[in-house]
């Protein structure tokens, strides 16, 4: 069962864990659901991430492109 770990960076460069999700089977619909849930938190505060860094997982990259259309995606 894949683990989605969402880590954010503050304006002072400090990192913090914002969310975790255990994704059954790693299917794209499950990853999209988790990212949409996380985006919903941002939308309530009128804040959208400017950059998302992934680990080259194709399912995650495709889900990010689906949910965060206006975000720059970096690969690590």
């Amino acid at each position: 069962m894949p683990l989605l770990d969402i880590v954010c960076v503050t304006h002072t460069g400090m990192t913090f864990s914002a969310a975790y999700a255990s994704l059954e089977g790693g299917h794209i619909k499950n990853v999209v659901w988790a990212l949409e849930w996380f985006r919903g938190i941002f939308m309530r505060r009128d804040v959208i991430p400017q950059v998302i860094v992934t680990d080259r997982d194709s399912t995650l990259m495709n889900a990010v492109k689906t949910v965060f259309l206006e975000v720059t995606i970096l690969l690590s």
Side-chain angles (χ1 to χ4, degrees):
M1 190 174 311
L3 176 68
L4 176 64
D5 181 12
I6 300 175
V7 178
C8 296
V9 180
T10 68
H11 65 282
T12 60
M14 300 201 53
T15 60
F16 64 95
S17 293
Y20 293 99
S22 293
L23 303 171
E24 184 177 344
H27 301 290
I28 191 163
K29 67 179 183 172
N30 296 339
V31 180
V32 167
W33 173 85
L35 292 176
E36 286 175 342
W37 177 85
F38 189 68
R39 182 185 173 102
I41 292 171
F42 277 113
M43 292 301 288
R44 288 186 218 140
R45 292 171 180 78
D46 295 325
V47 178
I48 298 294
Q50 295 178 354
V51 176
I52 295 178
V53 180
T54 71
D55 63 354
R56 294 186 185 257
D57 178 81
S58 61
T59 303
L60 177 58
M61 292 178 357
N62 290 331
V64 167
K65 289 176 189 174
T66 301
V67 177
F68 293 101
L69 302 173
E70 63 283 345
V71 173
T72 301
I73 301 171
L74 299 177
L75 306 173
S76 61

